[in-house]
Amino acid sequence: IRDRINSQAFRAHEMIADLMLFARPPTLQPERVDLAELIDTLIEELTPAAQAQGTTLEHHRPADPVKILGDRVQLAVALRALVVNSLEALGSGGQVDFQARPAAGRPPTMSAQLIIRDTGPGITAEVRQHMFDPFFSGREAGRGLGFGLSKCWRIVTDHGGQIVVDSAQGGGATFTLHLPVAQRR
């Protein structure tokens, strides 16, 4: 019973911390961030969990570095939340692909794209309408706090970016994060 109490106390702490992100977002500490390095760090961190469920994490590295101006710690939190969501949607097997590139159709100095694509079950149109709302979860009760994607959305928009979701039921999901690039010095 002690373990269960500790587990629930940790969940409550996590929920309060995530709620505080919306009430008082931390001040951004912007620096030049190489998206490929950020992805590599995230893959290294999440590989044990992915391997345990038989999921492959694949990074399609860009030929040239894609650097953005952002808060490395907050961006890592946002990406981790997004990828953990993908891993949970996959359950077992499947693949999560990562790619960073200059945004198509935009001047390379204006925007970069970070694309995360999974081979999961897809996201219904109904869930896509609310997926970034705090406390919303497309999973059954007790499986999540409903903050992962809303936390990701908050951090990306605080950086002046946006998230575009493309998915169809049964067809996987693609999350494209548009972020401002770092100006060359």
Side-chain angles (χ1 to χ4, degrees), residues 80-157:
R80 185 180 194 290
L82 190 56
V83 176
V84 165
N85 191 74
S86 287
L87 291 173
E88 289 175 357
L90 285 164
S92 65
Q95 184 166 323
V96 180
D97 293 321
F98 303 83
Q99 182 180 16
R101 65 183 187 201
R106 297 182 186 190
T109 58
M110 299 302 291
S111 180
Q113 291 179 333
L114 197 156
I115 302 163
I116 299 173
R117 182 176 295 120
D118 68 49
T119 58
I123 306 166
T124 65
E126 180 182 344
V127 170
R128 279 197 312 270
Q129 289 178 341
H130 301 286
M131 65 190 306
F132 297 117
D133 295 348
F135 300 108
F136 177 81
S137 178
R139 293 179 183 62
E140 65 270 5
R143 290 279 326 262
L145 301 175
F147 272 116
L149 292 179
S150 58
K151 179 171 34 178
C152 179
W153 175 86
R154 178 60 175 225
I155 291 170
V156 169
T157 57

Side-chain angles (χ1 to χ4, degrees), residues 16-28 74 154 158:
I16 291 167
D18 287 344
L19 187 56
M20 291 299 294
L21 177 70
F22 287 88
R24 266 186 266 141
T27 302
L28 295 177
Q74 289 190 39
R154 178 60 175 225
D158 282 353

Side-chain angles (χ1 to χ4, degrees), residues 36 45 58 61 101 164:
E45 177 187 340
E58 181 78 28
R61 292 185 67 79
R101 65 183 187 201
V164 177

